[in-house]
Amino acid sequence: MKKLLLVLASLALGGTAQAADIDWKKVDAALGKTATVSGEIHRYGLPRSDLKVTLDGVAIKPSLALGGWVAFAPMHGEAMVMGDLVLLDTEITPVMTRLLNSGLDITAIHNHILRASPATFYMHVGGHGDPEKMATAIRAALSADSKTPFDPPPANQPPPAIELDTAKLDGILGVKGAANGGVYQFNVPRREPSMEGGMAVNAALGGANAINFQPTGGGKAAITGDFLVTGDEVNPLIRALRAGDIEVTAIHSHMLDEQPRMFFIHFWANDDAEKLARNVRAALDKTAAVKTQ
């Protein structure tokens, strides 16, 4: 037993050393983006700022429902990647083909919202290997077969105002939100994250309830995002959403091998922001979501 523990400790230390050897500047350069770093996870935003999408008369800001991303986490001396790419229907097959030919996996393709013009779809990707090579493959696929922008945003532009009482929204939802591109965003983790490949699927890897508020005037907001739930929580959640006049727009998986199995419930409404926040909180209370306040 002592010999076994020594071997396991040696392997663990070796994996840590290899993970520390990842040159994240090369990964940044391969994607042409600068990562947001959360612990060991490096997450890159890939918003579809090139698209002009409307839904029920609301001009969708990229950070409301068009915020593609990929995230890399050190794993076994290399890296695991997970992500969500925003695509038009004509972009799906060519992007998928290039990613598959590069050794990456596709874990889901689906809608998040309904009635949008143009219609947008979401391709979830995964993989394990050299992070620089995977980043290069992702950028090559998106650059060749979609119009996903990689140019940096214009410098020195003031952020759009959030014309909502965000302090009240924080209090109702029980978590602190953050402004991003004219949208007020909440990431509400589950009390116990799902695990995939030995890795905790935390918020940086897409493992949190994402709730976004875009002001639409007069104290109203368009809301969308996704709830992250186990199978037994699906119907209690969607019943609570419908009781609160929040539309359920999709129910599906994003991953393939996570434990426990998780489902993502997407939603839409445009109404009084504080009323919506109360109804979202009532829905969250049907799940094992964290409430910090």
Side-chain angles (χ1 to χ4, degrees):
M1 179 59 72
K2 288 182 179 178
K3 288 182 179 179
L4 176 60
L5 291 174
L6 286 171
V7 169
L8 292 174
S10 175
L11 289 173
L13 289 171
T16 302
Q18 288 176 322
D21 289 339
I22 294 175
D23 189 339
W24 291 107
K25 289 183 179 179
K26 289 184 177 180
V27 183
D28 289 357
L31 268 173
K33 299 278 186 178
T34 300
T36 299
V37 181
S38 176
E40 290 190 324
I41 297 170
H42 289 240
R43 180 172 168 131
Y44 300 84
L46 299 168
R48 289 302 300 264
S49 55
D50 60 305
L51 297 177
K52 307 302 179 185
V53 178
T54 59
L55 171 51
D56 295 347
V58 177
I60 302 294
K61 293 183 183 296
S63 48
L64 180 68
L66 304 172
W69 57 274
V70 290
F72 296 81
M75 186 179 183
H76 306 318
E78 296 180 304
M80 177 179 75
V81 66
M82 298 176 69
D84 185 4
L85 311 178
V86 182
L87 301 170
L88 299 175
D89 56 357
T90 55
E91 299 170 343
I92 291 172
T93 296
V95 169
M96 176 195 295
T97 301
R98 284 185 187 271
L99 292 174
L100 292 173
N101 289 343
S102 299
L104 291 166
D105 296 327
I106 308 302
T107 61
I109 302 172
H110 43 232
N111 69 293
H112 285 181
I113 51 180
L114 303 173
R115 302 183 303 282
S117 179
T120 52
F121 298 87
Y122 303 80
M123 180 184 292
H124 294 265
V125 300
H128 179 262
D130 181 297
E132 184 183 357
K133 289 181 179 178
M134 293 191 294
T136 299
I138 291 166
R139 183 173 183 179
L142 292 175
S143 297
D145 298 310
S146 83
K147 294 184 179 179
T148 302
F150 284 87
D151 294 333
N156 302 321
Q157 279 197 338
I162 305 291
E163 296 177 348
L164 297 170
D165 190 334
T166 56
K168 281 191 177 179
L169 298 181
D170 292 348
I172 294 168
L173 283 167
V175 294
K176 177 66 177 172
N180 178 20
V183 174
Y184 199 61
Q185 299 181 325
F186 294 89
N187 279 294
V188 186
R190 290 181 62 84
R191 290 194 287 271
E192 294 184 8
S194 185
M195 302 290 293
E196 183 167 31
M199 180 76 63
V201 183
N202 61 19
L205 291 171
N209 299 280
I211 302 155
N212 303 327
F213 286 72
Q214 178 180 313
T216 54
K220 296 176 66 176
I223 64 167
T224 191
D226 53 12
F227 296 89
L228 175 60
V229 297
T230 53
D232 61 328
E233 295 171 340
V234 169
N235 278 283
L237 172 73
I238 64 176
R239 284 190 171 96
L241 291 173
R242 293 304 303 129
D245 290 327
I246 297 172
E247 184 178 16
V248 177
T249 58
I251 303 173
H252 48 227
S253 60
H254 288 183
M255 299 172 282
L256 298 177
D257 300 313
E258 79 282 5
Q259 294 296 328
R261 194 82 173 104
M262 304 303 296
F263 297 88
F264 292 77
I265 315 299
H266 296 266
F267 59 94
W268 169 264
N270 183 14
D271 204 338
D272 178 81
E274 293 175 27
K275 169 190 168 184
L276 290 175
R278 288 190 292 271
N279 292 342
V280 165
R281 185 65 248 180
L284 282 169
D285 288 342
K286 301 296 183 181
T287 76
V290 168
K291 186 173 184 179
T292 59
Q293 291 185 358

